[in-house]
Amino acid sequence: MNILNCFKVVSDLDLLGEGDWIADEQNNVDVSFVRTGWNCFDESALEMLLKLSDLSEGFNVMYNLSALTIGNEKCDTYLKTLYALGYQKAVRIDCENDLRFCSDFVAGLIAQYVGDQGNIDVIITGKQSADGENGQTPFLLAEQLGWPHIGQVTMIEPVDETCLKVRTVTDEGEVTQTIKIPCILSVGNAPNSYLRVPTLKDRLRLGKQPIEVRKVENQGAAGQGLLKLRAIDYRRAGIIIEGDSPEEKAAVLFRQYLKERL
Amino acid sequence: MVLNGFLPDFEKQCMELNYFKEQFAARMEPASAIVICRRGEEELIDLKQIPAPGIVLIPCEYYQPEAILKILTRQMNKEDLYLFGHSYGANEIAVRAAARLNGSSAAGVHKIEKIEAGMMIERMVYSNYMMATFLLKKSPYCIAIANGLGEHKVEITYPRNVRIAEKAEIPDFLISRDLHHEVRKATLAEAQRLIVAGRGAGNKEQVQELEQLSQKIHGKLGVSRPVAMNAWAPMEALVGVSGTMTKPKLCITVGVSGAAAFYLGIEKSEFIVAINKDKNAPIIKKADVAIIEDFSNVIHALSEYIEKG
């Protein structure tokens, strides 16, 4: 079974200070000075596939895992890590465009790749990315490919060459479904799904495989109607309770602020 | 309005959509509301809260987006505005229905304004640190509202035309489905006192201690995403944009950094206390009062004061 993971590398936005949330005239925000990382939901999806692959032996199913991202060569470090973790193919769609709010365009690029390959059975993504927060790409990908979509996936288990068992958290409750391929899965909050770390040996052995780089023919992604960006001020009084010891501070907290509220 | 009759808090969903409509679309003429409901339970849906001249019920065995979309899009008109709730399922059908009808969609919307060029919408971006204004140009506009904006109760007594659409059939790709446990009405959302554990709580045992403290103050324990991801507490205790939006009278955060995606989940608290050893943690400025300390000694002392009263 050929499974494609689509992930995004994002800046760690929680590291920006209050004064950093400034949009320029083109509605861009400079986030280039903070470290990057896996988009949190995508990270869960990547680990979920590795766990699925770990389980494959007992079910006599082979899972060929590929990973795809869209961006510049800075993403290659992440793709090499995935090679080191056992992904068999790493693909980067080379694109410098501003894709923050272009879910339709992003879904189109993925759909085009899937169409060109012709042998992908399952696509898995995170439910949304940190910067755009559009939460639309998996849905639009399903519409563009005409494939069914299952969201809020928390676990995937093998069944056979044509089916997967997926556990999801729906609005009604926790559900386990057996589904036929092809399908698109998107991952939301999934416990115990931090991506494992490859060994140095695996980095040296597997991490140097070539990354397939595809050029984008249509660079026409527009700003998707973005008119304005403004920072949100969440500040409150922020009074710091002073005292010589934790116990003394706790006493002040209790007497002055909590007693009347308990 | 497109409502999900499968949700346990259907009445709340109606009130939230009513509030949004009253705030931002009061002058628009209401069209028929669409309610997706369980097959055979069409009569059980309380329609009093839906201010629409007509109501279309779409019956389905369970909330299955592929099945629902097929019937839903046949009921929708090209020129209209459709308001959806804030659940994940609502987001999905809003986005996909708009795509099928060549319209526009947005999820987590805080505000809309109809202008000549289209529909202006506001929603949060950049992990909820910024608010963005977009112009959607293509109708129909499928808008899934943000969680926690407000509620407005109505009670319609005049007779309405209620029609049952054809049943949404479960598609073939689903071979089997088992519902393990149903979601109950969220107790965390209603809690008046809340203790929220963050990554700084350190481990599962300390999170359990904080849960005991929450019981002492007759409150509930909530957690931030790293705590839920590490399985130190169940995912249903997650507070924030992707978890529960709370509005307690008192919220005590312990070892929480204060990322915006989390903070939105406690923003409506009347009073916020932050306990954190890092004086530069963003939560300090977002709290009403803060103690800069390792939390364990503070919590033990606080627990004793609470016991003594």
Side-chain angles (χ1 to χ4, degrees), chain A residues 148-197:
Chain A
H149 165 262
I150 301 283
Q152 302 279 64
V153 173
T154 57
M155 194 188 290
I156 313 171
E157 288 176 14
V159 178
D160 58 29
E161 282 288 354
T162 60
C163 295
L164 286 171
K165 189 181 274 189
V166 294
R167 181 169 287 194
T168 62
V169 179
T170 69
D171 298 329
E172 286 179 85
E174 201 175 14
V175 173
T176 300
Q177 300 176 95
T178 304
I179 53 170
K180 273 190 211 162
I181 59 171
C183 64
I184 295 167
L185 307 175
S186 67
V187 174
N189 292 320
N192 285 324
S193 58
Y194 287 119
L195 186 62
R196 62 192 71 177
V197 178

Side-chain angles (χ1 to χ4, degrees), chain B residues 195 206-216 219 221:
Chain B
I195 291 185
Q206 309 233 64
V207 172
Q208 284 167 347
E209 272 186 42
L210 290 170
E211 183 167 25
Q212 287 164 11
L213 182 64
S214 74
Q215 288 163 358
K216 264 186 201 171
L221 177 80

Side-chain angles (χ1 to χ4, degrees), chain A residues 236 261, chain B residues 192 247-251 266-272 288:
Chain A
R236 292 193 179 208
R261 292 181 168 87
Chain B
Q192 293 298 298
K247 46 183 178 186
K249 289 188 188 311
L250 171 66
C251 174
I266 61 165
E267 192 195 13
K268 289 201 160 52
S269 306
E270 279 181 24
F271 194 79
I272 298 176
D288 293 285

Side-chain angles (χ1 to χ4, degrees), chain A residues 1-34:
Chain A
M1 192 182 292
N2 297 314
I3 309 183
L4 174 69
N5 180 298
C6 302
F7 72 95
K8 188 170 180 180
V9 176
V10 292
S11 298
D12 187 345
L13 302 177
D14 292 333
L15 295 179
L16 271 77
E18 282 166 37
D20 297 325
W21 292 109
I22 300 165
D24 66 16
E25 286 177 2
Q26 281 76 44
N27 280 322
N28 288 313
V29 180
D30 184 9
V31 294
S32 60
F33 55 93
V34 292

